[in-house]
């Protein structure tokens, strides 16, 4: 009975997949085809993004044993913004490389900065082997990179 929520999730995702396949097979007009090719994949991506965010929040709350834990405790929010700000100042042409409001260069820079600082944080916390050290290094690096962003903006 523990997997009831997971069972319901798979049931909902299966129904959405069947709906998408049915609509994909029966679209003769351009409006139906546009719905299937553009709108439905975006809805599916939004559902999966929501699932991923909720699982990440659950993991943060479980690891830190704190129901109020959030991404600021690990410094996640500040290190990506620091890397994006750094690359924007170093390479101003990266701002014009996007299409349709999405800039893959800036997204990659944010991901790269997040992974590099996460590895640094992992190295520091593995050296001292404590959950409290993980928490402190996350807050420390978060404030450090937040200050770096403020300096670059000023």
């Amino acid at each position: 009975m523990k997997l009831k929520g997971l069972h319901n999730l798979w049931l909902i995702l299966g129904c959405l997949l069947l709906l998408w396949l049915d609509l994909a097979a029966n679209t003769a007009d351009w409006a139906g085809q546009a719905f299937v090719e553009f709108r439905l994949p975006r809805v599916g991506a939004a559902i999966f993004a929501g699932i991923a965010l909720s699982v990440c929040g659950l993991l943060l709350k479980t690891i830190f044993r704190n129901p109020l834990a959030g991404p600021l405790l690990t410094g996640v929010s500040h290190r990506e913004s620091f890397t994006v700000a750094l690359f924007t100042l170093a390479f101003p042409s990266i701002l014009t490389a996007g299409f349709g409001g999405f800039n893959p260069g800036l997204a990659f820079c944010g991901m790269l900065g997040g992974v590099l600082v996460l590895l640094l944080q992992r190295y520091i916390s593995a050296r001292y082997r404590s959950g409290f050290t993980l928490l402190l290094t996350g807050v420390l690096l978060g404030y450090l990179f937040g200050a770096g962003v403020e300096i670059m903006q000023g």
Side-chain angles (χ1 to χ4, degrees):
M1 288 314 252
K2 282 185 170 181
L3 297 177
K4 186 174 182 181
L6 187 61
H7 177 69
N8 291 340
L9 173 69
W10 285 113
L11 184 65
I12 291 169
L13 291 176
C15 289
L16 286 174
L17 178 65
L18 289 176
L19 174 70
W20 180 67
L21 290 174
D22 182 50
L23 288 173
N26 298 325
T27 55
D29 59 341
W30 64 271
Q33 188 175 6
F35 176 74
V36 170
E37 290 183 11
F38 297 112
R39 297 291 182 202
L40 209 54
R42 289 180 183 179
V43 169
I47 288 172
F48 284 123
I51 291 170
L53 284 172
S54 65
V55 168
C56 289
L58 175 71
L59 287 174
L60 278 173
K61 291 170 186 356
T62 304
I63 288 172
F64 292 120
R65 294 183 185 103
N66 184 354
L68 300 176
L72 293 176
L73 285 179
T74 57
V76 171
S77 303
H78 296 296
R79 58 184 169 213
E80 281 88 1
S81 60
F82 176 78
T83 311
V84 169
L86 186 67
F87 273 85
T88 303
L89 285 176
F91 307 106
S93 62
I94 203 168
L95 292 174
T96 61
F99 54 92
F102 175 69
N103 193 333
L106 286 179
F108 179 74
C109 292
M111 182 198 68
L112 181 68
V115 168
L116 289 176
V117 178
L118 182 68
L119 290 174
L120 173 68
Q121 185 178 1
R122 172 74 175 111
Y123 172 74
I124 293 170
S125 66
R127 186 175 171 112
Y128 295 103
R129 298 175 196 246
S130 170
F132 188 67
T133 306
L134 179 67
L135 177 72
L136 280 179
T137 56
V139 171
L140 173 84
L141 291 174
Y143 281 125
L144 180 71
F145 289 117
V149 170
E150 292 294 326
I151 289 171
M152 283 188 261
Q153 287 177 348

